[in-house]
């Protein structure tokens, strides 16, 4: 079945684009792309493209809200660029193909290689290759929040001496990219969950291609029956804040929560929520406007 999607393209600056990213996802965008990553050129200006299921949104109302957001950022002293907003209907195929045109193999950290299925790549000796197709799900590896998680997981992996028995959860797996990363890094007890069916379908296929033995289901943290030594959640700040108590319940003593997808200005809110729930903050890492926070359950 091919669904139709509404593409909303917003011409703005990279700074405002990143702030909009979060807003668009909260509004239900199933995918958000920043043109800047496409061309690989660093420029102050970009086009943000957000994709919504055709039947889920009142598009005029949404465009109005985006326009108000742009004005708000502009009034706060940020450069919103031209602020032009254009919408059109696209079918799933053209969306998928739009991705393919500018999604090329790239490296994260020391040895992690993110490779789209349709690209050719000759692996080097130490490479850990994630060979996958994100499809309509979030998680191409290009977003700073995913990048931060992958880099940190690679860095931390050698510190886990008993990876066979370490129980790990990828909370909000999207395309499955972080669960596959964990598997390549040697973890063997991995669960991946997502509330979104499109993500479940995409990650299921990607786990099959990568021959990963990952326990996958559709649901949220409270649906998990087990407790974990490590939970990775590349979710939005608000979502992490809301589930702080549940995270505490689902993590073993001394276990780690890696929280990503947090826009810098929300860093303190997320930190307070997790500390109030009983965690200690052990590390933070920044990339562009995003921060990754690492907590330990005391
Ligand atoms: N892990 C991937 C995708 C992150 S996007 C990466 O790092 O690139 C966040 C994902 O979390 C989305 O697929 C979204 O559907 C899912 N999600 C959002 N809220 C959730 C919740 N409360 N419980 C589980 N998954 C959630």
């Amino acid at each position: 079945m091919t669904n139709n999607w509404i593409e909303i393209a917003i011409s703005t600056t990279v700074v405002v684009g990143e702030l909009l990213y979060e807003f668009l996802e909260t509004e239900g965008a199933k995918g958000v792309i920043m043109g800047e990553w496409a061309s690989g050129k660093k420029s102050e200006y970009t086009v943000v493209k957000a994709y919504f299921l055709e039947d889920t949104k009142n598009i005029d109302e949404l465009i109005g809200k985006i326009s108000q957001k742009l004005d708000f950022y502009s009034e706060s002293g940020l450069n919103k660029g031209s602020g032009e907003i254009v919408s059109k209907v696209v079918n799933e195929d053209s969306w998928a193909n739009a991705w393919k045109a500018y999604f090329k193999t790239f490296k994260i950290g020391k040895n992690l290689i993110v490779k789209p299925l349709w690209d050719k790549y000759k692996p080097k000796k130490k490479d850990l290759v994630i060979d996958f197709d994100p499809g309509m799900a979030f998680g191409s590896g290009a977003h700073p929040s995913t990048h931060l998680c992958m880099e940190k997981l690679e860095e931390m992996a050698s510190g886990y001496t008993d990876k066979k028995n370490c129980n790990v959860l990828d909370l909000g797996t999207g395309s499955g990219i972080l669960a596959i990363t964990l598997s390549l890094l040697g973890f063997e007890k991995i669960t991946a969950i997502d509330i979104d069916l499109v993500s479940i379908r995409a990650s299921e296929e990607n786990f099959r291609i990568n021959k990963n033995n990952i326990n996958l289901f559709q649901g949220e943290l409270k649906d998990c029956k087990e407790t974990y030594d490590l939970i990775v959640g590349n979710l939005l700040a608000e979502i992490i804040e809301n589930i702080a108590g549940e995270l505490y319940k689902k993590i073993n003593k001394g276990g780690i929560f890696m929280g990503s997808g947090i826009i810098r200005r929300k860093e303190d809110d997320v930190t307070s929520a997790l500390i109030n729930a009983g965690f200690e903050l052990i590390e933070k890492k920044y990339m562009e406007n995003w921060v990754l926070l690492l907590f330990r359950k005391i």
Side-chain angles (χ1 to χ4, degrees):
M1 193 183 72
T2 307
N3 291 317
N4 277 339
W5 296 77
I6 305 280
E7 177 191 275
I8 299 187
I10 308 143
S11 302
T12 183
T13 53
V14 174
V15 175
V16 168
E18 275 182 0
L19 295 171
L20 271 183
Y21 203 107
E22 187 192 0
F23 168 72
L24 292 164
E25 288 205 325
T26 322
E27 285 295 319
K30 294 291 175 195
V32 185
I33 307 177
M34 287 255 259
E36 186 219 359
W37 297 327
S39 64
K41 275 190 283 197
K42 282 274 170 201
S43 146
E44 188 187 345
Y45 297 94
T46 186
V47 178
V48 178
K49 290 183 177 173
Y51 295 85
F52 295 85
L53 272 172
E54 194 181 24
D55 53 359
T56 54
K57 277 278 156 191
N58 178 339
I59 295 304
D60 291 337
E61 195 183 305
L62 183 62
I63 289 177
K65 277 191 181 175
I66 297 171
S67 176
Q68 276 174 10
K69 268 274 167 197
L70 288 171
D71 290 343
F72 168 76
Y73 292 134
S74 172
E75 282 155 20
S76 319
L78 297 171
N79 177 6
K80 69 167 183 176
S82 79
E84 192 191 0
I85 306 171
V86 182
S87 71
K88 66 175 179 189
V89 178
V90 295
N91 65 34
E92 189 155 317
D93 289 345
S94 64
W95 198 95
N97 291 331
W99 264 106
K100 290 181 186 177
Y102 51 88
F103 184 20
K104 301 265 185 279
T105 301
F106 60 97
K107 188 173 184 171
I108 291 185
K110 283 203 183 104
N111 300 310
L112 294 167
I113 307 289
V114 180
K115 177 194 164 300
L117 283 180
W118 53 89
D119 208 10
K120 284 207 161 53
Y121 177 80
K122 204 167 164 238
K124 297 183 187 68
K125 221 174 169 187
K126 286 190 172 167
D127 282 353
L128 299 172
V129 183
I130 301 156
D131 197 10
F132 81 135
D133 180 355
M136 300 296 291
F138 186 102
S140 70
H143 194 268
S145 62
T146 313
H147 191 124
L148 282 167
C149 288
M150 292 176 68
E151 221 168 43
K152 190 67 210 163
L153 287 173
E154 184 182 50
E155 215 178 288
M156 281 166 56
S158 56
Y160 284 88
T161 44
D162 188 15
K163 290 199 204 79
K164 246 189 170 57
N165 293 308
C166 182
N167 207 17
V168 189
L169 175 70
D170 177 9
L171 176 58
T173 194
S175 64
I177 187 166
L178 297 182
I180 300 172
T181 300
L182 286 160
S183 172
L184 288 170
L185 290 170
F187 291 91
E188 293 183 22
K189 282 171 82 175
I190 307 167
T191 301
I193 67 168
D194 205 294
I195 45 170
D196 172 36
L197 187 59
V198 174
S199 298
I200 295 295
R201 289 206 194 111
S203 47
E204 192 171 34
E205 179 62 6
N206 288 326
F207 296 160
R208 193 188 61 74
I209 294 164
N210 286 272
K211 302 188 178 64
N212 304 117
N213 184 14
I214 291 165
N215 172 27
L216 172 72
F217 68 90
Q218 186 177 9
E220 41 189 336
L221 185 59
K222 64 176 166 48
D223 303 320
C224 295
K225 301 276 182 291
E226 300 179 12
T227 59
Y228 302 90
D229 302 301
L230 170 63
I231 297 184
V232 187
N234 182 9
L235 301 158
L236 295 174
E238 291 83 355
I239 300 175
I240 298 177
E241 278 177 64
N242 284 337
I243 59 169
E246 192 65 28
L247 280 167
Y248 188 80
K249 278 196 228 158
K250 293 288 157 65
I251 292 185
N252 298 327
K253 199 158 181 270
I256 301 286
F257 172 62
M258 181 185 289
S260 193
I262 302 158
I263 203 117
R264 279 188 191 220
R265 70 189 149 81
K266 298 272 176 69
E267 177 187 331
D268 291 346
D269 296 346
V270 175
T271 305
S272 313
L274 275 275
I275 286 178
N276 286 338
F279 289 93
E280 60 174 343
L281 177 66
I282 52 174
E283 202 179 325
K284 34 185 159 178
K285 281 201 154 215
Y286 298 95
M287 190 172 175
E288 297 172 23
N289 267 325
W290 302 87
V291 58
L292 173 148
L293 300 173
L294 212 59
F295 297 92
R296 184 189 291 123
K297 173 164 170 174
I298 311 169

